[in-house]
Amino acid sequence: MHKVRRLVLGLSLLVFCLGSVSQAQPNVKGAPMEEKIKAAQKYLQENNLDGWLLYDFRRSNPMAAEFMGIRGQQTRRWFYFIPREGEPAGLYHRIEYHNFDWIPGERELFSAWKELEAKLAKMLAGVKKVAMEYSPRNAIPYVSRVDAGTIELVRSLGVEVVSSADLIQTFQAVLTPIEYETHRYATRSLNEIKDKAFALIAKKIKAGQPTNEYEIQQFIWNEYSKNGMTSDGPPIVAVNANAATPHYLPTAEVFSLIKKGDLVLIDMWAKKDTSGTIYGDMTWMGYVGDRLPEEVAKIWAVEAEARDKAIAFVTERMAKGEKTYGYEVDDVARGVIEKAGFGPNFTHRTGHSIGIEVHGNGVNIDNFETQDRRELVPGVCFSIEPGIYFEGKYGFRSEIDMFIHPGRAEVTTQPVQKEILLLLR
């Protein structure tokens, strides 16, 4: 079966490479530096910005380092300025300038801090507004990578600093067609593993055999390997009150038994175990019985409605060609839960960006923990996962992934859970 699935993936990748999918956003990941610069300048011109000022110190700004493809040891500050028109310019320390030999553009070197400031002022002469990895009031922490002192330095030169959040999304969160297909592989694999995990719980309970959260977690973990997948951590398997802690993880020492009458939440995230692949992320729920308690059914109905209203909002907006932002989608899901009287029980954002890391650098579905005003542009992938939690009792969460195509939105985690699984039916 694994060989067949690898063949299917390979054929799908071939189709994508031949150009069967078009995207409105530029696919610039891994592109030559010159192409990335042209794409950045197009954005700067369209958004009336004078330039993009990249800065890093000892990998404190991994987004800048990734964009530049920096090689070698980095122990000193550096700047790289991409103007809206014309040739870029770099400002590098004399002991490490050789790490930037292959980067296009003019090059200035410095040793002393006074020299750095003087040459930075020269580089930015006449410039009025630049984008940097900064977020006003730290609204989007994922993007807020440049320290306050450096922002102060740039502003002292008479330059206005605005956030590069949308630029970063274009270069790091817009998936290529091949990356999209690896995401689909992950979601298909996770769906099969999810079915096996709930089936194992049902089999054990029906046979009168003991089982627990940790055993099921480790079963899923091993299934990742069998399916050629990897993850940055083991899955969440949470029973009853444990599910009221959204990031609860059972361990070999601390876990709960799974028994008849228990509500079980399974949250899994993994990706194909090769370089440059994209995560899938899903959460399903099951009940160890043949009929849901009335209260559980009532809360689940609210949870599912919140998820489905958010999906419908994105789908309809994309079909109409209307700009849609992360915070708006959060408002839709949260509104359903608040109307039902469970607002205080929804303690996190509605969803997050998905990429090479399970929590990616693109738009989050959030107007709660932060206000993410980035647009859902073609090529971005994200989760929708509202939650309703009752401390000491139980928690509810249903998670799906979505991908934005030009003119349409796709739920990539199929099927969408409509009812809590009855494991003893």
Side-chain angles (χ1 to χ4, degrees):
M1 176 64 73
H2 185 49
K3 290 181 179 178
V4 171
R5 295 178 64 183
R6 283 189 296 179
L7 176 60
V8 171
L9 175 62
L11 291 173
S12 299
L13 296 183
L14 176 60
V15 170
F16 271 73
C17 289
L18 291 174
S20 63
V21 171
S22 63
Q23 289 180 287
Q25 294 296 113
N27 286 327
V28 289
K29 288 183 179 177
M33 191 65 178
E34 290 80 4
E35 289 185 24
K36 293 198 289 186
I37 291 169
K38 287 180 181 178
Q41 289 181 322
K42 182 175 184 293
Y43 175 92
L44 295 169
Q45 292 163 13
E46 291 172 349
N47 290 273
N48 197 31
L49 295 172
D50 294 322
W52 184 11
L53 184 59
L54 293 153
Y55 164 82
D56 191 24
F57 173 62
R58 298 178 62 181
R59 306 283 177 170
S60 60
N61 184 1
M63 297 175 180
E66 181 177 327
F67 178 86
M68 296 282 282
I70 302 301
R71 304 165 183 169
Q73 187 179 26
Q74 295 296 307
T75 66
R76 302 297 195 274
R77 293 177 286 178
W78 59 262
F79 289 88
Y80 189 73
F81 180 60
I82 302 175
R84 60 183 294 158
E85 293 178 342
E87 190 176 18
L91 180 55
Y92 316 120
H93 197 282
R94 284 186 173 84
I95 70 170
E96 292 179 346
Y97 72 88
H98 55 281
N99 292 328
F100 301 86
D101 281 346
W102 64 283
I103 301 293
E106 299 176 359
R107 183 170 64 184
E108 290 283 352
L109 305 181
F110 71 93
S111 296
W113 66 267
K114 291 182 179 180
E115 186 180 14
L116 179 150
E117 292 191 3
K119 290 187 174 180
L120 181 62
K122 179 181 176 182
M123 176 187 286
L124 297 179
V127 171
K128 297 188 180 302
K129 185 188 294 187
V130 299
M132 296 186 74
E133 284 65 72
Y134 148 81
S135 181
R137 301 180 63 171
N138 200 27
I140 307 175
Y142 289 87
V143 176
S144 202
R145 298 288 187 166
V146 178
D147 65 279
T150 299
I151 297 294
E152 290 173 353
L153 171 60
V154 174
R155 286 175 173 165
S156 75
L157 302 174
V159 178
E160 179 185 354
V161 177
V162 299
S163 179
S164 64
D166 289 321
L167 262 170
I168 290 297
Q169 173 162 267
T170 296
F171 286 100
Q172 296 189 358
V174 171
L175 306 188
T176 67
I178 290 177
E179 287 175 328
Y180 163 82
E181 189 58 26
T182 67
H183 167 69
R184 295 293 286 115
Y185 177 89
T187 60
R188 289 191 295 268
S189 298
L190 287 174
N191 190 59
E192 293 180 8
I193 294 170
K194 171 262 299 177
D195 289 343
K196 291 179 181 179
F198 279 116
L200 178 59
I201 295 172
K203 179 180 178 181
K204 290 250 180 186
I205 298 299
K206 289 177 181 178
Q209 299 173 351
T211 189
N212 60 69
E213 296 167 328
Y214 183 70
E215 179 184 19
I216 302 303
Q217 179 202 67
Q218 292 304 298
F219 169 80
I220 295 171
W221 188 247
N222 291 330
E223 285 293 313
Y224 288 172
S225 296
K226 291 180 182 178
N227 283 268
M229 301 178 73
T230 187
S231 180
D232 63 4
I236 295 170
V237 179
V239 170
N240 301 332
N242 293 336
T245 301
H247 284 179
Y248 164 84
L249 281 175
T251 67
E253 296 77 28
V254 180
F255 59 81
S256 292
L257 296 175
I258 301 176
K259 311 177 301 298
K260 288 184 179 180
D262 283 348
L263 193 60
V264 184
L265 180 151
I266 296 179
D267 185 344
M268 305 180 298
W269 58 97
K271 63 178 182 175
K272 190 172 175 62
D273 192 11
T274 54
S275 176
T277 56
I278 305 301
Y279 272 87
D281 193 2
M282 66 168 59
T283 302
W284 275 61
M285 298 190 69
Y287 178 71
V288 187
D290 59 6
R291 183 176 180 181
L292 280 183
E294 184 177 344
E295 183 181 55
V296 171
K298 175 185 174 183
I299 299 169
W300 168 258
V302 176
E303 166 69 20
E305 182 185 0
R307 176 203 64 202
D308 292 345
K309 286 278 180 71
I311 294 171
F313 178 78
V314 174
T315 302
E316 292 168 7
R317 282 287 193 93
M318 292 300 118
K320 293 178 181 178
E322 296 179 356
K323 289 183 180 294
T324 307
Y325 304 93
Y327 76 93
E328 294 180 300
V329 187
D330 182 272
D331 286 346
V332 171
R334 198 168 303 277
V336 172
I337 293 173
E338 289 176 346
K339 184 178 179 181
F342 299 132
N345 304 93
F346 185 8
T347 56
H348 56 73
R349 64 193 174 199
T350 294
H352 59 83
S353 169
I354 295 174
I356 293 173
E357 303 295 334
V358 68
H359 288 181
N361 288 327
V363 55
N364 294 315
I365 309 305
D366 191 6
N367 195 20
F368 181 69
E369 298 179 48
T370 68
Q371 186 180 68
D372 201 319
R373 303 188 71 87
R374 287 177 289 181
E375 184 182 350
L376 304 183
V377 298
V380 298
C381 184
F382 54 90
S383 70
I384 299 286
E385 49 179 309
I388 306 174
Y389 308 99
F390 300 86
E391 186 175 357
K393 192 172 185 180
Y394 42 43
F396 296 75
R397 186 166 67 255
S398 176
E399 178 181 15
I400 60 91
D401 299 343
M402 295 192 76
F403 180 81
I404 303 299
H405 298 272
R408 69 183 180 92
E410 175 191 10
V411 175
T412 57
T413 41
Q414 294 288 352
V416 175
Q417 184 172 16
K418 299 302 182 183
E419 303 289 344
I420 291 179
L421 300 176
L422 297 176
L423 303 184
L424 300 185
R425 175 176 284 181

